[in-house]
Amino acid sequence: MRLSARVDYALRAAAELAAVADGAGTGRARPVTAEQIAKTQEIPPKFLESILLQLRRGGIVHAQRGPEGGYWLARPAADISLAEVIRVIDGPLAHVRGQRPEQLGYLGAARALQDVWIALRASEREILELVTVADVANGTLPARVNELAADPRAWS
C-alpha cells in the first residue's frame, strides 16, 4: 500500500485537530490555525492549506475566517475513520493501474489476480474503517490493529 504525502499530511492534521477538540461535549472545538497545525506537525504551510480546503469540501473539517478563525473537525473524531479521510484526499482505497479491481479483466493463468486485489482492498478497508481519527489522536488503537502491529513480520 502506498499513501501519498497529501494523505499523510491530511491524517496528521485531522489527528492534531482531534487532539485539541472540545472535550466538554459542546460539539464545537477551539479553532486551530493552519499555521499552528503546520508548525506542530512539520507540514509545509502552503501544502497544508490546500489539503485543509479539500478536507473542508469533503465535510471532514469546518473553517472560520478572521482573528478567531481556524479549523476544527466537522464531526466528533470518533466518527471519522481514516478511510474517510483517505477517500476525500485521494479517492477510492485500491486501484490497479488507475482502475478499481472489479473493473479489471485478467485472462488465463492471471485470472486469480483480480480476487487478490479485491481481497487486498477489503483488508485495507477493514483496518482503515476500524481506526478513527480519535483513536490516532488518543494513541488508543483498536486491539486488532495493535495485534497486527505487534507481529515482527509486519515491520519488515
Side-chain angles (χ1 to χ4, degrees), residues 135-156:
D135 295 332
V136 173
N138 297 329
T140 55
L141 298 174
R144 177 68 178 137
V145 174
N146 287 329
E147 176 186 315
L148 288 168
D151 183 344
R153 294 174 297 173
W155 292 85
S156 59

Side-chain angles (χ1 to χ4, degrees), residues 9 13 33-35 37-38 43-53:
Y9 292 159
T33 67
E35 294 79 28
I37 297 168
I43 299 171
K46 290 289 186 192
F47 200 24
L48 180 61
E49 285 285 352
S50 71
I51 291 167
L52 290 168
L53 178 62

